Amino acid sequence: MKLFRTISRYFRDAGKSVIRNFSLSLASISCIAITLIVVAVALVLSYNVENFAESIRKDVTVVIFLDKDTTESQRQKIAEDIRKTGNVASLEFKSKQEAAEETKKQNDIFSSIVDGWTDETNPLLDSYMLKVKDVEKIKETVSTIRKMDKINTINYGEEMVDQLITVFKAIEKITIGLVIALIVVTSFLIANTIKLAIFSRRREIEIMRLVGASNTSIKIPFIIEGLFIGIFGSIIPIIITIYGYNSLYSFFDGKLFSSSLAKLISPTPFVYNASLILLLIGVVVGMFGSWRAVRKYLKI
Amino acid sequence: MELIRISDVEKTYKTGTVALYDLNLSIKKGEFVFVIGASGSGKSTLIKMLYREEKPDKGSIIIGGINVAKLRNGKVYILRRKLGVVFQDFKLLPKLTVYENVAFAMEVFAYDKKEIHKRVMEVLELVGLKNKVRQYPDQLSGGEQQRVVIARAIANKPKLLICDEPTGNLDPETSMEIMKVLDEINKMGTTIIMATHDRDIVDKMKKRVIMLEEGKLIKDIEKGKYYNETV
Ligand SMILES: Nc1ncnc2c1ncn2[C@@H]1O[C@H](COP(=O)(O)OP(=O)(O)OP(=O)(O)O)[C@@H](O)[C@H]1O
Ligand SMILES: [Mg+2]
């Protein structure tokens, strides 16, 4: 009971303080809201980029052609060595006969040509179809494989994959940098708000100390005030995220550029997870800002 | 029984001013002690060390078993809960009513509303302000404001009440009213230490008197003997 009363008093004091310094709190709340909106955009971007990268990852196939004179045991050895690179999601062998069959299916002209081939005259090569686990390491993996015995040529969408990875990384870096900068600015602003709250209550604090309030009980309401600022600041970004992403998703009908590769991730549960992250960041930044002010200006 | 023991206390401020030195003093439970002396003699310094606003450089100050001289900052509140403090400037919160100002001190302890209400009315009656509970400090006279402060200081039933010139801003008549209130509180068992300039009050009250001069205790006059000593 006593603990409950103490806690409810902390919250009441914090609430009063937010209202008393409303114009100031409003500045902090807006700043945190702007930060969180950028965070939300960053989340939408990075999750979708991640999703997009994932589908590319699943789609990029490295075709490894083997020399004509490769023996059965050499072939086995190559498969083993490829697996040893550790970057293998799947590995399939495609014999030249299978390749010929596939070619036949492509069109009628090919079909008649291929029909004329025997095992000896088939100009196609045996190959391994490799799907990698980590597309960012694809270059490394390919160059390792290239050094192996009996490798003829290796093909993969080298250029495109490289470019995409570079773009994704750049986008990620920019958004992370922006978010960090905004968080720093916001926590300064919150620290300043709490500082002024402390000054506006300094008489009260002095009296509280005189009548025997513990340091913790003097500090906690200010920390809670930071918490409130964080919570209030995250409301609008959360609403924007939930409604905004849902309408974005239905506007594009779940796809970008009508390509099956570039799918938007579905809004549920993404928007709720994102909201939770926003609330968490708001709360942490709010409390961190006020904690800094309390440490600096409530020296006891 | 002894409530306060001060042994070999010395206090030098950062500026180099030696405010107190060689101070030895014992105060019993239930006593009423005046601290007098010229301006700058160290009265407020002594008072501040009692509620641990200042720390002595040397010696020990034991109050009810706590060595105040060694008390860490984070533990000061434990001492403060055992004593009440009254100053010359009233230190009331202007936006709170008389009632709220007194209740404020009790809310720190998380009593429940009923308990707080009962005790606030009790102490306001004791200081004679029961009919002004809803007024704000700026609607009160100086004497009334000081009585609110006293009510607030005793709301938590401290064993010790420390006053630094509580009548400093009041006219002689009002001062005497305040002294009557303090005397009553003292009679109920609270030990009181009061620093003052006002010789009239000290004369009339006939209590123990401690006289400081340039940071040194020069006279410790037993209860009732002050008048005789000074003639
Ligand atoms: N915070 C401080 N820093 C430096 N010196 C101080 C400080 N407080 C008091 N002093 C000095 O210590 C000495 C004692 O001061 P103190 O306030 O104890 O005197 P006092 O007896 O209360 O005087 P008054 O009757 O004028 O209130 C004075 O010389 C004063 O200048
Ligand atoms: Mg003084």
Side-chain angles (χ1 to χ4, degrees), chain A residues 113-125:
Chain A
I113 298 172
V114 172
D115 275 339
W117 290 346
T118 62
D119 267 3
E120 304 307 311
T121 58
N122 183 349
L124 300 177
L125 297 171

Side-chain angles (χ1 to χ4, degrees), chain A residues 2 5 9 203 206-207 212, chain B residues 81 91 107 110-112:
Chain A
K2 200 164 171 174
R5 269 203 299 278
R9 184 179 140 87
R203 249 184 111 78
E206 186 192 1
I207 293 166
Chain B
R81 285 177 182 193
K91 295 202 199 302
E107 279 167 8
Y111 294 114
D112 74 27

Side-chain angles (χ1 to χ4, degrees), chain A residues 2 5-6 9 12 20 203-204 206-215 300, chain B residues 51 73-74 77 80-81 87 91-93 104-105 107-112 152:
Chain A
K2 200 164 171 174
R5 269 203 299 278
T6 311
R9 184 179 140 87
R12 204 186 57 213
R20 200 177 318 175
R203 249 184 111 78
E204 225 170 293
E206 186 192 1
I207 293 166
M208 282 174 84
R209 274 185 194 150
L210 275 179
V211 300
S214 66
N215 293 347
I300 310 180
Chain B
Y51 69 92
N73 284 354
Y77 74 96
R80 302 261 169 102
R81 285 177 182 193
F87 297 101
K91 295 202 199 302
L92 291 171
L93 294 168
F104 181 81
E107 279 167 8
V108 165
F109 293 81
Y111 294 114
D112 74 27
R152 184 180 66 195

Side-chain angles (χ1 to χ4, degrees), chain B residues 93-102 117 120-121 124 129-140 148:
Chain B
L93 294 168
K95 284 184 182 144
L96 300 186
T97 63
V98 168
Y99 181 94
E100 288 163 345
N101 262 291
V102 178
H117 181 77
V120 171
M121 294 315 287
L124 284 177
L129 283 178
K130 212 177 175 180
N131 54 339
K132 308 234 160 155
V133 287
R134 282 202 191 80
Q135 301 198 17
Y136 288 89
D138 62 4
Q139 298 170 325
L140 300 176
V148 178

Side-chain angles (χ1 to χ4, degrees), chain B residues 1-178:
Chain B
M1 228 181 99
E2 192 175 57
L3 181 69
I4 301 174
R5 164 160 294 281
I6 297 173
S7 319
D8 303 319
V9 159
E10 203 176 295
K11 174 71 189 176
T12 308
Y13 283 107
K14 278 196 207 94
T15 52
T17 313
V18 181
L20 282 176
Y21 64 98
D22 222 4
L23 185 68
N24 285 283
L25 189 61
S26 166
I27 294 170
K28 286 200 275 295
K29 237 177 210 161
E31 269 192 290
F32 194 132
V33 183
F34 283 115
V35 180
I36 62 169
S39 184
S41 58
K43 304 182 296 292
S44 295
T45 304
L46 172 59
I47 295 283
K48 280 177 187 161
M49 287 198 296
L50 290 177
Y51 69 92
R52 188 34 186 75
E53 182 71 20
E54 293 287 351
K55 259 183 174 170
D57 303 308
K58 239 185 77 186
S60 67
I61 301 174
I62 315 270
I63 302 180
I66 302 175
N67 188 352
V68 177
K70 289 229 170 74
L71 201 60
R72 284 194 294 115
N73 284 354
K75 295 265 159 99
V76 169
Y77 74 96
I78 297 170
L79 170 75
R80 302 261 169 102
R81 285 177 182 193
K82 295 186 177 175
L83 46 84
V85 194
V86 178
F87 297 101
Q88 177 175 5
D89 58 329
F90 308 119
K91 295 202 199 302
L92 291 171
L93 294 168
K95 284 184 182 144
L96 300 186
T97 63
V98 168
Y99 181 94
E100 288 163 345
N101 262 291
V102 178
F104 181 81
M106 294 188 73
E107 279 167 8
V108 165
F109 293 81
Y111 294 114
D112 74 27
K113 272 208 159 70
K114 267 190 194 157
E115 279 175 273
I116 291 178
H117 181 77
K118 192 167 153 258
R119 180 65 182 160
V120 171
M121 294 315 287
E122 209 173 280
V123 289
L124 284 177
E125 178 159 28
L126 183 70
V127 299
L129 283 178
K130 212 177 175 180
N131 54 339
K132 308 234 160 155
V133 287
R134 282 202 191 80
Q135 301 198 17
Y136 288 89
D138 62 4
Q139 298 170 325
L140 300 176
S141 72
E144 286 166 337
Q145 288 184 44
Q146 193 58 291
R147 281 189 272 166
V148 178
V149 175
I150 292 169
R152 184 180 66 195
I154 61 169
N156 293 318
K157 302 187 180 166
K159 299 205 163 48
L160 174 64
L161 188 62
I162 299 170
C163 315
D164 194 354
E165 315 216 18
T167 60
N169 285 339
L170 307 174
D171 62 46
E173 228 166 282
T174 318
S175 297
M176 277 323 290
E177 273 170 34
I178 294 291

